[in-house]
């Protein structure tokens, strides 16, 4: 009895260990693909601004690229939170993401799992190569290899467990009760937050039938598939929390789409099952993992085609259930090109409201990074990357809009104002880059348990407090064109320079006195340097308030330690 229990415990450990490897592999693939694509992800989303059909195509492409429908949806909701994408545009991307995510199921079902260890070995070797592109693609290969290794480990545990009387009874219940299967698929996917993982387990279980082990049938697998689609909407829902009305409506549409899919295919469960059986018998082997992948793709593609003609109705439903409770982050006329034709001067004034909104995002990002600098919180990292994306999108949108205004014809004063606004946008964008640098420096420190020393904490707190006041004054000065407040900001910039130099010296003294180790505080000077550079960009912003024709000195002759490394 004891031996039998030990064997069961070991098999369960294989299942959960394999699942952990699978999930880590999926995440590694996704993160590496995102890193390899870089800023192209945002530009890809930008191309979805015309029609829902284009949004669907972009959603498919983006999800295939980053191997995560949840990641695509989170990126889209980030843009909605900024008010830089409309709900109709986002619906197309969300529907396309549901199709794109089916590619993972086909990859899992391909007969290449035996090469998992080879992929993993080659990928790990590539990650040691210095070139970024090779490093990132090595991560993709390593993630793919880990995915297959995880499946193999999971399978070695599932096989003996599935061969027990209890498991056979459970599979029989799922095969006969579509409701329980749907609930199980929803809950399991919601817990692991990966429909790919749920479908991977399902494919592996279904394939065991070919080895004479009675597991899940197609009648039982299809409801679990439909439940997995509902469960994956939890990620979008979480991403919308704290966001604006439009982002919550997008999350509602995502849930509505997948729930409608489940309802439709459960109604036609028997004919749908016969279709999948026919497809399997005609084109595949019996109990092929690709049968599950085909079922997953068929239901997602079919519902996308059907609901494409009901996008407006889905949007109306979202607006009905999620009421307007707030002002939009950016006014509707922010990028209205008709306004440029009617009055370029008025369009320039409206654009300033967008610049102020961008400044508000920077202030929010600064407060987040300041908080994260003193306390580890992984949720702040994700939110920080969203704010970085929002800032970059503001930069692109506002820059393009101002260029269009300049082409409409402005007088000398308005032309000078437009030029200053372009500089301000770029300074805000650079501040966002520096905040991201600091965020990643602390992320690295926390991953290696490199906490700040007591003296380091005091110094950094003083520097943050000075910068906080400077940022607040700079935003107020730009908003009201307050020259006196701008002069105060310039004086504060001198203080920031002094503090950075003094705290760098103190850091060196702590090293010399062996109060800290070099490894423990390796990136502390880089953190100070990035914060000091934020002060320089704030001075650039207010200097144009003091002197309208001001040209930032860093553009003419930058100081050695002030050279920007953002580009």
């Amino acid at each position: 009895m004891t031996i039998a229990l030990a064997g069961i415990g070991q098999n369960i450990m294989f299942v959960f260990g394999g699942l952990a490897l699978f999930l880590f592999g999926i995440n590694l693939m996704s993160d590496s693909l995102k890193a390899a694509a870089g800023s192209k992800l945002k530009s890809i989303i930008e191309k979805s601004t015309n029609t829902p059909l284009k949004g669907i195509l972009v959603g498919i492409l983006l999800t295939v690229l980053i191997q995560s429908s949840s990641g695509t949806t989170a990126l889209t909701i980030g843009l909605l939170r900024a008010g830089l994408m409309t709900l109709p545009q986002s619906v197309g991307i969300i529907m396309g993401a549901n199709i794109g995510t089916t590619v993972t199921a086909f990859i899992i079902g391909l007969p290449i799992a035996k090469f998992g260890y080879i992929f993993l070995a080659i990928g790990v070797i590539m990650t040691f190569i210095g070139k970024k592109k090779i490093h990132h693609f090595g991560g993709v290969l390593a993630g793919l290899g880990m995915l297959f290794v995880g499946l193999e480990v999971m399978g070695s545990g599932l096989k003996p467990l599935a061969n027990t009387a209890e498991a056979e009874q459970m599979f029989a219940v799922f095969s006969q009760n579509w409701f329980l299967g749907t609930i199980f698929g929803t809950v399991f996917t919601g817990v692991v937050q990966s429909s790919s993982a749920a479908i991977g387990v399902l494919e592996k279980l279904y394939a065991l039938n070919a080895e004479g082990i009675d597991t899940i049938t197609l009648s039982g697998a299809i409801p679990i598939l439909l439940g997995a689609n509902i469960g994956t909407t939890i990620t979008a829902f979480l991403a919308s929390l704290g966001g604006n009305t439009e982002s919550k409506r997008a999350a509602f549409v995502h849930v509505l789409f997948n729930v409608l899919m489940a309802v439709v295919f459960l109604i036609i469960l028997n004919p749908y099952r016969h279709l999948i059986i026919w497809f399997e018998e005609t084109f595949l082997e019996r109990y092929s993992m690709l049968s599950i992948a085909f079922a997953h793709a068929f239901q997602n593609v079919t519902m996308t085609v059907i609901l494409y003609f009901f996008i407006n109705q889905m949007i109306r439903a979202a607006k009905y259930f999620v009421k307007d409770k707030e002002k939009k982050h950016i006014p509707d006329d922010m990028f209205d090109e008709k306004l440029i034709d009617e009055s370029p001067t008025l369009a320039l004034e409206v654009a300033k409201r967008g610049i102020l909104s961008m400044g508000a995002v920077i202030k929010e990002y600064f407060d987040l990074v300041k908080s994260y600098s003193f306390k580890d919180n992984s949720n702040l990292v994700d939110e920080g990357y969203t704010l970085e994306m929002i800032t970059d999108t503001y930069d692109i949108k506002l820059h393009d809009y101002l260029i269009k205004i300049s082409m409409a014809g402005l007088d000398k004063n308005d032309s000078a104002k437009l030029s200053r606004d372009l500089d301000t946008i770029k300074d805000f964008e650079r501040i966002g880059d520096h905040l991201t640098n600091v965020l990643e420096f602390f992320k690295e420190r926390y991953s290696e348990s490199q906490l700040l020393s007591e003296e380091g904490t005091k110094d950094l707190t003083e520097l943050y407090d000075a910068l906080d006041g400077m940022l607040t004054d700079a935003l107020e000065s730009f908003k009201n064109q307050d020259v006196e407040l701008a002069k105060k900001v310039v004086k504060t910039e001198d203080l920031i320079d002094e503090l950075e130099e003094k705290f760098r010296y103190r850091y060196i003294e702590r090293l010399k006195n062996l109060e800290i180790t070099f490894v423990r505080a390796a990136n502390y000077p880089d953190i100070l340097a990035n914060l000091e550079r934020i002060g320089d960009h704030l001075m650039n912003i207010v200097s144009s308030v003091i002197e309208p024709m001001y040209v930032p000195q860093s553009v003419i002759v930058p100081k050695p330690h002030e050279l920007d490394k953002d580009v």
Side-chain angles (χ1 to χ4, degrees):
M1 181 68 177
T2 304
I3 295 174
L5 286 175
I8 292 173
Q10 185 180 40
N11 290 325
I12 292 173
M13 189 166 60
F14 277 134
V15 172
F16 282 102
L19 180 61
L21 282 173
F22 182 96
L23 288 171
F24 188 82
I26 282 282
N27 288 331
L28 181 59
M29 279 179 65
S30 178
D31 292 342
S32 299
L33 283 165
K34 285 180 190 176
S39 61
K40 291 179 183 177
L41 293 182
K42 294 187 269 298
S43 63
I44 289 173
I45 293 181
E46 286 294 311
K47 298 184 187 300
S48 66
T49 56
N50 291 338
T51 65
L53 180 58
K54 188 180 288 187
I56 290 172
L57 295 175
V58 169
I60 294 172
L61 176 63
L62 192 61
T63 306
V64 170
L65 186 66
I66 66 174
Q67 284 296 295
S68 171
S69 61
S70 299
T72 300
T73 307
L75 282 169
T76 304
I77 286 178
L79 290 174
L80 280 164
R81 288 181 60 182
L84 298 174
M85 177 178 283
T86 66
L87 185 59
Q89 292 164 357
S90 71
V91 172
I93 294 177
I94 290 169
M95 292 170 74
N98 273 23
I99 298 176
T101 194
T102 63
V103 172
T104 308
F106 280 103
I107 292 174
I108 295 169
L110 291 174
I112 56 174
K114 58 186 176 182
F115 302 114
Y117 288 101
I118 297 174
F119 290 145
L120 182 58
I122 295 173
V124 170
I125 291 171
M126 288 174 68
T127 59
F128 286 104
I129 297 175
K131 290 186 178 180
K132 284 188 177 180
K133 288 292 182 184
I134 296 177
H135 177 86
H136 295 322
F137 283 116
V140 173
L141 268 183
L144 182 63
M146 203 171 295
L147 182 154
F148 286 126
V149 171
L151 273 174
E152 186 178 330
V153 172
M154 198 164 27
S156 65
L158 280 173
K159 190 173 181 178
L161 288 174
N163 211 11
T164 62
E166 292 82 1
E168 288 179 9
Q169 185 178 1
M170 181 184 70
F171 293 136
V173 170
F174 280 142
S175 297
Q176 296 167 12
N177 192 319
W178 58 265
F179 180 76
L180 285 178
T182 306
I183 295 299
F184 175 79
T186 302
V187 173
F188 181 76
T189 306
V191 170
V192 301
Q193 290 199 24
S194 171
S195 60
S196 296
I199 294 166
V201 173
L202 192 60
E203 287 180 305
K204 202 70 181 175
L205 277 172
Y206 182 68
L208 289 177
N209 285 288
E211 301 180 34
I213 302 172
D214 293 331
T215 61
I216 200 78
T217 63
L218 276 175
S219 296
I222 289 171
I224 294 175
L225 266 180
L226 296 168
N229 277 342
I230 298 174
T232 197
T233 63
I234 291 174
T235 304
F237 173 76
L238 293 174
S240 72
L241 294 179
N244 60 12
T245 301
E246 292 293 276
S247 66
K248 292 173 183 174
R249 285 172 176 167
F252 175 86
V253 169
H254 192 206
V255 174
L256 179 62
F257 179 91
N258 287 331
V259 168
L260 285 174
M261 184 193 308
V263 170
V264 168
F265 279 93
L266 286 172
I267 290 173
I268 60 169
L269 183 59
N270 279 332
Y272 177 40
R273 176 175 59 86
H274 287 301
L275 172 66
I276 303 302
I277 291 173
W278 170 83
F279 184 85
E280 183 181 65
E281 291 177 347
T282 306
F283 300 102
L284 303 171
E285 295 178 1
R286 189 83 189 277
Y287 301 121
S288 167
M289 292 203 295
L290 286 174
S291 300
I292 303 296
F294 171 75
H296 188 217
F298 180 82
Q299 64 196 33
N300 280 277
V301 172
T302 302
M303 283 309 294
T304 298
V305 172
I306 294 172
L307 292 179
Y308 174 78
F309 299 100
F310 296 93
I311 287 178
N312 290 333
Q313 287 79 359
M314 293 171 71
I315 291 172
R316 280 201 290 271
K319 289 181 178 179
Y320 177 81
F321 287 101
V322 183
K323 306 293 185 183
D324 281 307
K325 295 181 180 179
E326 63 206 15
K327 293 181 180 179
K328 291 186 178 180
H329 204 52
I330 293 184
D332 287 332
D333 57 357
M334 174 66 254
F335 304 115
D336 185 2
E337 294 187 22
K338 292 181 180 178
L339 186 62
I340 298 176
D341 296 330
E342 294 169 4
S343 174
T345 299
L346 181 58
L348 190 60
E349 287 302 314
V350 173
K352 183 179 177 182
R353 291 158 59 188
I355 298 173
L356 288 170
S357 294
M358 184 181 186
V361 173
I362 288 295
K363 180 63 169 68
E364 183 181 352
Y365 197 6
F366 176 85
D367 291 339
L368 180 148
V369 172
K370 180 181 178 181
S371 176
Y372 184 66
S373 298
F374 302 107
K375 186 176 181 181
D376 185 14
N377 183 344
S378 59
N379 292 332
L380 292 182
V381 177
D382 294 335
E383 180 67 14
Y385 289 146
T386 298
L387 291 174
E388 178 198 19
M389 181 184 66
I390 292 171
T391 302
D392 289 345
T393 309
Y394 266 111
D395 177 35
I396 295 168
K397 291 268 189 180
L398 286 167
H399 178 273
D400 291 349
Y401 190 68
L402 286 171
I403 292 300
K404 290 175 183 176
I405 294 175
S406 70
M407 295 170 66
L410 295 169
D411 60 30
K412 185 177 180 180
N413 288 335
D414 282 342
S415 293
K417 186 187 297 184
L418 185 144
S419 179
R420 295 197 305 272
D421 285 347
L422 285 171
D423 288 338
T424 298
I425 293 166
K426 181 51 64 178
D427 278 308
F428 276 141
E429 190 272 333
R430 289 290 178 86
I431 290 172
D433 289 341
H434 287 297
L435 289 171
T436 300
N437 290 343
V438 175
L439 188 76
E440 291 182 342
F441 283 138
F442 276 101
K443 181 182 176 183
E444 180 184 354
R445 293 176 71 94
Y446 290 134
S447 69
E448 298 181 9
S449 301
Q450 296 177 14
L451 302 180
L452 289 169
S453 65
E454 185 178 347
E455 290 301 317
T457 300
K458 288 180 181 177
D459 290 349
L460 206 56
T461 300
E462 186 176 349
L463 185 56
Y464 267 123
D465 288 344
L467 264 178
D468 197 351
M470 187 181 182
L471 176 55
T472 301
D473 290 342
L475 293 174
E476 192 67 23
S477 171
F478 176 77
K479 178 181 178 181
N480 301 318
Q481 294 296 291
D482 189 328
V483 175
E484 292 305 314
L485 195 56
K487 290 179 179 177
K488 178 184 175 184
V489 172
V490 173
K491 289 182 180 178
T492 308
E493 198 275 334
D494 291 334
L495 172 64
I496 296 296
D497 286 347
E498 292 174 7
L499 290 177
E500 191 267 344
E501 186 176 348
K502 179 169 70 174
F503 296 156
R504 188 188 296 270
Y505 174 77
R506 287 182 180 178
Y507 156 73
I508 294 172
E509 287 299 305
R510 289 195 293 274
L511 280 177
K512 286 167 60 178
N513 295 331
L514 301 180
E515 296 175 22
I516 56 174
T517 61
F518 178 72
V519 173
R520 181 182 175 192
N523 60 17
Y524 189 74
D526 298 319
I527 293 169
L528 295 177
N530 276 272
L531 293 176
E532 187 271 335
R533 287 294 289 136
I534 291 173
D536 292 341
H537 289 296
L538 290 173
M539 187 185 72
N540 288 344
I541 292 169
V542 299
S543 293
S544 65
V545 175
I546 300 169
E547 174 51 60
M549 300 308 295
Y550 170 78
V551 177
Q553 289 300 307
S554 59
V555 173
I556 304 171
V557 184
K559 289 179 265 186
H561 72 285
E562 292 182 343
L563 288 171
D564 248 326
K565 298 179 181 179
D566 303 331
V567 294

